[in-house]
Amino acid sequence: MSEKFDIVIVGGGIVGASVAYHLGQIGRHSVCLLERDQLTCGTTWHAAGLVAELRASANLTRLARYSGELYEQLEGEGYGTGFRRVGAITLALNPERTIELKRQAAMARSCGIDCRWLSAAELSERWPHLETADVAGGVYMPRDGQTNPVDTTLALAAAARKAGVDVREKTPVRKLEVEAGRIIGVETDGGSIRGEKILLAAGLWTRQLAAAAGAVVPLYPCEHYYAVTEAVDLPAATPIIRVPDQGIYLKPDAGRLLIGSFEREARPVDPDSLPEEFSFAEFPFDLDHFAPYLASGLERLAGVASVGIRTWFNGPESFTPDGRYLLGETPALKNLYVAAGFNSIGIQSAGGVGQVMARWLDEGRPGMDLWDVDVRRFEPFQNEAGYLSGRAAESLGLLYAMHWPYRQLESCRDQRRSPLHDRLAARGACFGELAGWERPNWYAAEGQPASYRYSYGRQNWFENAAAEHRAVRGDVALFDQTSFAKFEISGPQSCAFLNRLCTAEMDVPAGRIVYSQCLNEQGGIEADVTVTRVEDERYLYVTGAACRVRDAAWLARHAAGFDVTVTDLTDRLAVLGVMGPNARSLLASCTAADLSNAAFPFATSREIEVRGIRLRASRITYVGALGWELYIEREDAVGLFDCLSVRGDGVEVPLAGYHAMDSLRLEKAYRHWGHDITDEDTPLEAGLSFTCDWDKPGGFIGREALLAQKDRGLNKRLVLFALEDPEALLYHDEPIWADGERIGRITSGAYGHSLGRALGFGYVTLPEPFLLKSLRHKSFQVEIGDEMIPATISTRALYDPDQHEIR
Ligand SMILES: Cc1cc2nc3c(=O)[nH]c(=O)nc-3n(C[C@H](O)[C@H](O)[C@H](O)COP(=O)(O)OP(=O)(O)OC[C@H]3O[C@@H](n4cnc5c(N)ncnc54)[C@H](O)[C@@H]3O)c2cc1C
């Protein structure tokens, strides 16, 4: 008889221990934690132990902040984590970094973090031993802390044990046991251990363990360096110091100084090359590689330059293709969860991660939007070693690089190409990458390099995107939208299946396109889709490029019990958007099909022939224009493009990219899933309740939660903001103020070229339920860096709100 637990955690680093602790606190489950060797023996034992409060997004900041609170609380309960709030400063050595840090500081304050900007003079007055001759200023966070990673892990494990968790060392998991597409247990040397749910928190080993069972967990170890000096005489109040422009951080450490680096040229390590007994282990130290960082570190504080080095350390840490960690249930295997790939912030994240993962394992949901770090954001090809080793090294290097808006990753590009790629490149496309797809973000003019020059101001493509935008509003332009994820849903119960999943009525005549959301039981938006009834028993379901794996898993999980087949058409079909007031005449010049409004109204779709090529034309738009999305077999796409991209008079039709699309869709108040709408926002809050068919037979998933929310009233609503200053720009996460109170953050922003100002969505959140009309009398501002920019609000599209141009 094998042993049986509700939840089995694999891995006794800080993350596994934290999940065990939180499950122990919930106290509803039998839980076992299995550690291959000794607790902390993987990566945790050698971490520097910095616990910063601020992360890239508001929710990840919440998790990091909670970590510090938890370690502090455990310390107070006598568990001895070693946590201390020593404070931290991050220095800017140039004007662009100053802008970046001030923007981050504004975001931090909006999350309730105590965070101040100090000039170089103020820094030097406060910490006279700090070298500030090259410093423009810095952000001071007095509540940032440091902890002892080993003690903290042991404390979490001890508290977990006390709460009934079975923590076992010297118990390597050899294999995951799978039955009928779901995980059922793990195999150890002592036999099989059954688990209803299994969590892999096995650090750098997680990818291989999961891959052997068919699950994708893209992470890859890289070398990670620091050195610790001999004793130095530092004032007791010296905080942690980060100097991202030099790729270093400094941590006063028991009378010594730890100098750590984030090198631009980082080094991946083949995990298969590590011996099985790799415990409390390290790699050879390459002094040449680390020397420039060491030199910068030693020069930053007076009296340190000539001190000797006591410890040279180089150990493994796991990095992911986008520098964010991996949480959640794997799409490939039901009940197999992961928490891994911590990109050098595992200590500061582990407390919060333990809390949300325990909730995820307990309730099936994490309790907040975690799409940024959801394991479903990755495609299977991103799990390949060749790809991962390049990307992981870039991720490490970028951690302290400038976090420019629109910054594109550079390694391992060209994974997935549209069939139009070469044609678009020939027309000046500057490609960005999403889910491996090379997508035209903007088109360079004749003689202009098709590459980014980043800044926090208007970047070099601003006027290009403006021209593309104007072509869509005033003439016509072509968009390559091939990266859309597309699924065919067929079978006798396809209508019933989609009706259950989607908020809108799906029992519509063949040829009708329906815009809808798919909700979870709590009413949160899991997917934002357009669904076309192609035939009575066949639908085309279209979703965002980044959502393919997530939506596929959602469809597959809910298809059980319905007689339907879900087929992924993403790679088979290319999509060309023809958008603008002259879209009809352009398309009509290549087809005999009747495109008149009467014969081909808005939100309908049918097959037509364009110069002998059969394709599906769908009259729908994400840019707010008259237009068609043309769905075509991949091999026919170039022929179609060649017909449509040159007019009869030989003049080229403008092409438009994703930056223009973003600007156009914001003017039309079209939401973007993952930013403006997520699984923690409901259609009522997002202003999308028009998609809900409340009375359709059988209802839809999430309906009851929405009805209950309607009864309670809403204290959170999505609103469109337009800045009054035409020069200011919005990206995301800028704090929003109303009558002097902070009431939300921008969820996505772009410049509205037809309106001549920056636009952004944001949720207004107030303590009590409110009606939209009550916002009319408030005075709004958006905080950008250290400026407050007045803004007006709207709940409707700011461009063509009555849809005249579309219909
Ligand atoms: C030099 C350096 C400095 C760092 N500094 C900081 C810092 O200042 N702040 C910060 O937040 N982060 C820092 N980090 C990162 C941090 O150390 C990691 O993110 C964190 O320790 C990851 O914890 P983990 O539990 O995911 O992985 P690990 O600590 O590696 O734990 C995974 C555990 O799983 C076990 N395991 C693996 N396979 C199996 C199996 N088959 N069966 C059973 N058990 C298994 C391993 O033995 C291991 O104990 C640093 C990292 C390095 C390398």
Side-chain angles (χ1 to χ4, degrees):
M1 265 290 274
S2 48
E3 286 184 278
K4 204 164 174 221
F5 292 88
D6 293 339
I7 297 165
V8 176
I9 299 167
V10 183
I14 194 163
V15 174
S18 177
V19 181
Y21 166 81
H22 286 91
L23 284 169
Q25 299 304 302
I26 292 172
R28 262 195 293 276
H29 307 278
S30 58
V31 182
C32 164
L33 183 152
L34 305 175
E35 163 54 43
R36 179 181 64 111
D37 189 0
Q38 281 180 51
L39 296 174
T40 77
C41 72
T43 293
T44 297
W45 72 277
H46 56 237
L50 273 47
V51 182
E53 292 199 314
L54 180 60
R55 295 308 323 149
S57 73
N59 276 353
L60 299 192
T61 299
R62 270 163 73 186
L63 299 193
R65 200 173 166 200
Y66 168 77
S67 295
E69 288 164 5
L70 174 67
Y71 305 158
E72 193 170 39
Q73 175 202 319
L74 287 170
E75 178 80 24
E77 290 170 10
Y79 278 106
T81 57
F83 181 81
R84 288 182 300 130
R85 291 201 187 275
V86 293
I89 41 176
T90 304
L91 304 180
L93 303 190
N94 55 58
E96 295 285 25
R97 184 71 75 174
T98 302
I99 297 174
E100 174 168 304
L101 292 183
K102 285 187 173 177
R103 291 183 81 112
Q104 278 178 2
M107 201 270 269
R109 283 192 295 272
S110 78
C111 297
I113 292 176
D114 185 3
C115 180
R116 301 161 220 169
W117 176 258
L118 301 178
S119 66
E122 288 168 317
L123 288 165
S124 149
E125 190 184 328
R126 189 155 186 165
W127 296 288
H129 57 302
L130 181 69
E131 175 53 67
T132 55
D134 57 346
V135 171
V139 170
Y140 175 45
M141 293 199 262
R143 284 178 58 79
D144 266 21
Q146 65 185 50
T147 200
N148 180 324
V150 172
D151 290 352
T152 307
T153 307
L154 297 181
L156 288 162
R161 274 195 178 109
K162 195 169 166 197
V165 176
D166 186 345
V167 178
R168 299 184 194 176
E169 296 180 288
K170 304 282 180 198
T171 314
V173 167
R174 300 292 178 197
K175 220 176 115 198
L176 303 181
E177 295 179 337
V178 177
E179 204 175 86
R182 56 160 58 209
I183 189 92
I184 54 160
V186 299
E187 194 180 296
T188 70
D189 296 343
S192 156
I193 299 180
R194 291 282 170 134
E196 285 293 315
K197 293 178 180 171
I198 310 288
L199 170 75
L200 298 183
L204 68 89
W205 295 271
T206 308
R207 171 171 156 265
Q208 292 121 306
L209 207 49
V216 169
V217 187
L219 57 83
Y220 206 84
C222 288
E223 294 183 357
H224 201 24
Y225 285 78
Y226 61 67
V228 184
T229 66
E230 297 289 0
V232 280
D233 190 17
L234 287 176
T238 307
I240 293 160
I241 301 161
R242 295 188 181 85
V243 197
D245 295 313
Q246 294 180 318
I248 55 166
Y249 64 92
L250 312 177
K251 185 190 90 159
D253 193 22
R256 301 189 173 85
L257 185 69
L258 182 151
I259 300 169
S261 66
F262 285 92
E263 316 91 82
R264 286 312 305 274
E265 305 296 329
R267 296 176 167 179
V269 178
D270 177 359
D272 291 327
S273 70
L274 302 181
E276 201 187 318
E277 65 283 6
F278 192 86
S279 283
F280 299 110
E282 55 191 280
F283 300 138
F285 194 94
D286 181 345
L287 186 53
D288 288 344
H289 181 68
F290 186 68
Y293 302 94
L294 179 64
S296 305
L298 292 173
E299 284 162 12
R300 186 55 61 192
L301 289 168
V304 175
S306 57
V307 75
I309 300 298
R310 179 193 165 95
T311 308
W312 303 99
F313 185 80
N314 173 16
E317 165 65 342
S318 305
F319 291 83
T320 61
D322 59 5
R324 299 194 301 270
Y325 45 85
L326 303 164
L327 300 186
E329 190 178 14
T330 61
L333 278 181
K334 194 160 169 47
N335 292 339
L336 179 66
Y337 290 73
V338 295
F342 280 94
N343 297 277
S344 203
I345 55 163
I347 307 301
Q348 65 170 274
S349 308
V353 164
Q355 189 186 44
V356 290
M357 281 314 304
R359 194 158 169 195
W360 215 328
L361 290 157
D362 176 40
E363 299 173 14
R365 316 180 32 74
M368 65 164 79
D369 161 42
L370 289 174
W371 177 235
D372 272 2
V373 290
D374 194 311
V375 67
R376 291 171 294 177
R377 72 190 183 279
F378 286 117
E379 292 279 333
F381 80 85
Q382 290 173 299
N383 210 27
E384 286 160 20
Y387 171 87
L388 269 175
S389 60
R391 255 306 152 82
E394 187 179 12
S395 292
L396 189 158
L398 285 179
L399 280 175
Y400 273 23
M402 287 294 297
H403 300 101
W404 298 117
Y406 307 103
R407 181 163 195 150
Q408 300 297 319
L409 293 165
E410 287 168 12
S411 61
C412 309
R413 293 287 297 263
D414 265 334
Q415 300 291 328
R416 300 169 93 189
R417 280 182 166 198
S418 147
L420 304 178
H421 187 93
D422 292 346
R423 291 287 198 275
L424 307 183
R427 291 276 306 265
C430 180
F431 293 96
E433 188 236 279
L434 188 72
W437 286 100
E438 293 295 324
R439 312 195 314 165
N441 276 350
W442 58 279
Y443 290 87
E446 196 81 26
Q448 180 188 13
S451 57
Y452 281 89
R453 278 206 319 275
Y454 297 118
S455 81
Y456 273 96
R458 294 183 176 188
Q459 297 186 2
N460 61 323
W461 49 266
F462 186 86
E463 290 305 334
N464 303 68
E468 294 163 27
H469 176 120
R470 283 192 285 273
V472 175
R473 289 284 185 252
D475 176 14
V476 61
L478 302 180
F479 288 89
D480 180 6
Q481 296 167 243
T482 299
S483 61
F484 275 169
K486 316 149 201 107
F487 298 94
E488 182 183 271
I489 295 162
S490 58
Q493 290 189 296
S494 46
C495 178
F497 169 61
L498 283 168
N499 249 340
R500 182 75 194 129
L501 233 58
C502 296
T503 50
E505 175 60 78
M506 291 292 147
D507 195 1
V508 293
R512 181 72 59 80
I513 305 170
V514 181
Y515 171 57
S516 180
Q517 281 81 47
C518 300
L519 310 183
N520 52 42
E521 294 288 354
Q522 292 69 32
I525 301 172
E526 291 283 342
D528 184 57
V529 295
T530 49
V531 183
T532 303
R533 190 166 202 174
V534 175
E535 289 169 4
D536 260 12
E537 295 185 359
R538 195 155 63 91
Y539 289 80
L540 177 66
Y541 170 112
V542 179
T543 184
C547 301
R548 191 190 72 83
V549 172
R550 180 189 175 107
D551 282 28
W554 188 257
L555 291 168
R557 297 264 159 101
H558 289 86
F562 287 96
D563 187 358
V564 291
T565 306
V566 178
T567 313
D568 190 342
L569 302 181
T570 304
D571 289 331
R572 205 182 98 187
L573 295 179
V575 184
L576 188 63
V578 189
M579 297 289 155
N582 293 331
R584 182 176 281 123
S585 56
L586 176 66
L587 193 52
S589 69
C590 302
T591 179
D594 185 353
L595 302 175
S596 67
N597 224 13
F600 210 143
F602 179 67
T604 64
S605 172
R606 65 189 155 89
E607 284 196 359
I608 63 170
E609 209 165 279
V610 178
R611 295 258 170 88
I613 308 169
R614 209 123 191 102
L615 54 84
R616 168 159 297 280
S618 293
R619 195 165 151 207
I620 194 79
T621 176
Y622 189 52
V623 293
L626 168 71
W628 282 263
E629 287 174 1
L630 307 176
Y631 291 78
I632 183 166
E633 295 292 331
R634 210 182 147 88
E635 55 275 17
D636 293 330
V638 169
L640 175 71
F641 179 82
D642 289 347
C643 293
L644 289 172
S645 59
V646 183
R647 292 183 232 242
D649 56 6
V651 175
E652 284 181 334
V653 174
L655 306 183
Y658 278 87
H659 291 332
M661 183 182 279
D662 216 21
S663 149
L664 292 156
R665 68 103 189 161
L666 268 159
E667 288 186 344
K668 288 293 299 172
Y670 295 154
R671 282 80 169 146
H672 186 270
W673 192 89
H675 288 111
D676 312 315
I677 47 179
T678 69
D679 58 7
E680 74 170 357
D681 312 309
T682 71
L684 299 174
E685 293 163 342
L688 293 173
S689 55
F690 66 88
T691 70
C692 300
D693 187 324
W694 303 104
D695 302 322
K696 65 178 174 176
F700 54 86
I701 297 173
R703 175 178 175 274
E704 285 63 37
L706 293 190
L707 290 174
Q709 189 181 43
K710 239 183 184 180
D711 282 348
R712 288 195 305 276
L714 302 174
N715 68 338
K716 171 182 157 195
R717 285 167 182 275
L718 191 69
V719 175
L720 191 56
F721 294 85
L723 298 186
E724 287 184 7
D725 174 358
E727 293 304 314
L729 298 177
L730 284 176
Y731 300 115
H732 57 80
D733 272 336
E734 294 86 351
I736 304 165
W737 295 72
D739 294 342
E741 301 266 347
R742 225 185 265 119
I743 46 84
R745 266 183 302 276
I746 295 294
T747 51
S748 71
Y751 199 81
H753 293 285
S754 306
L755 302 166
R757 43 206 191 129
L759 309 177
F761 273 117
Y763 284 92
V764 173
T765 308
L766 299 177
E768 298 295 330
F770 63 93
L771 297 176
L772 278 171
K773 61 182 181 202
S774 69
L775 299 181
R776 255 187 251 143
H777 308 292
K778 290 192 184 292
S779 147
F780 288 92
Q781 291 172 309
V782 180
E783 185 179 359
I784 300 180
D786 44 16
E787 281 187 78
M788 298 293 265
I789 313 287
T792 52
I793 62 162
S794 174
T795 51
R796 301 185 72 207
L798 288 168
Y799 182 85
D800 188 25
D802 296 318
Q803 317 273 44
H804 295 303
E805 295 189 10
I806 296 175
R807 289 173 187 278

